[in-house]
Amino acid sequence: MPAKDAGPAPSRVVVCRDCCCGSPKLPGVDHAAQTARLRAEVPVRISECLDVCDQANVIVVQPSAAGRAAGARPVWLGLVNDPDATEDIVTWVRAGGPGVAPRPDILDLYAFTPPRRTARS
């Protein structure tokens, strides 16, 4: 994990690693290397299933405190299955992430709106 400072909370990523994301269901993807690369550069939290399996591998970029103050919301990225996409995410998060740094145009190809969760009765 990158060194922590006393500054405001940075932008961070949530990486889905459960039933589809991070599994052999996506052959040829080095999930461990992707997670390690992200962890080497930015704060990472591993999540269980985020319920968007059709978008595997899913990474959610959460805004920093400054990004939230600017009105930014989490950005959901799906089908993040190659090292170049991972590098684009690292570069964006290190620059400040949502609400602070403009999202690279290439990441628009991965961005999606997750379905709304409804209460189960």
Side-chain angles (χ1 to χ4, degrees):
M1 175 95 78
K4 295 182 182 183
D5 62 18
S11 183
R12 62 188 67 233
V13 299
V14 176
V15 179
C16 185
R17 287 290 182 260
D18 197 25
C19 62
C20 292
C21 299
S23 77
K25 290 181 182 181
L26 296 170
V29 177
D30 188 340
H31 305 288
Q34 181 185 56
T35 303
R37 177 66 185 126
L38 290 165
R39 278 193 164 143
E41 297 289 336
V42 300
V44 173
R45 184 173 67 89
I46 302 299
S47 174
E48 291 185 1
C49 187
L50 294 172
D51 295 329
V52 285
C53 297
D54 61 327
Q55 296 288 331
N57 280 320
V58 175
I59 294 176
V60 181
V61 182
Q62 298 178 324
S64 65
R68 285 189 305 275
R73 304 286 302 150
V75 174
W76 289 63
L77 304 169
L79 306 173
V80 182
N81 297 323
D82 67 72
D84 290 338
T86 302
E87 288 303 316
D88 292 331
I89 294 167
V90 165
T91 300
W92 182 39
V93 172
R94 287 180 52 98
V100 175
R103 181 170 67 207
D105 291 340
I106 192 70
L107 291 181
D108 290 344
L109 298 172
Y110 300 92
F112 71 97
T113 302
R116 289 194 169 273
R117 292 183 179 213
T118 56
R120 294 186 179 152
S121 18

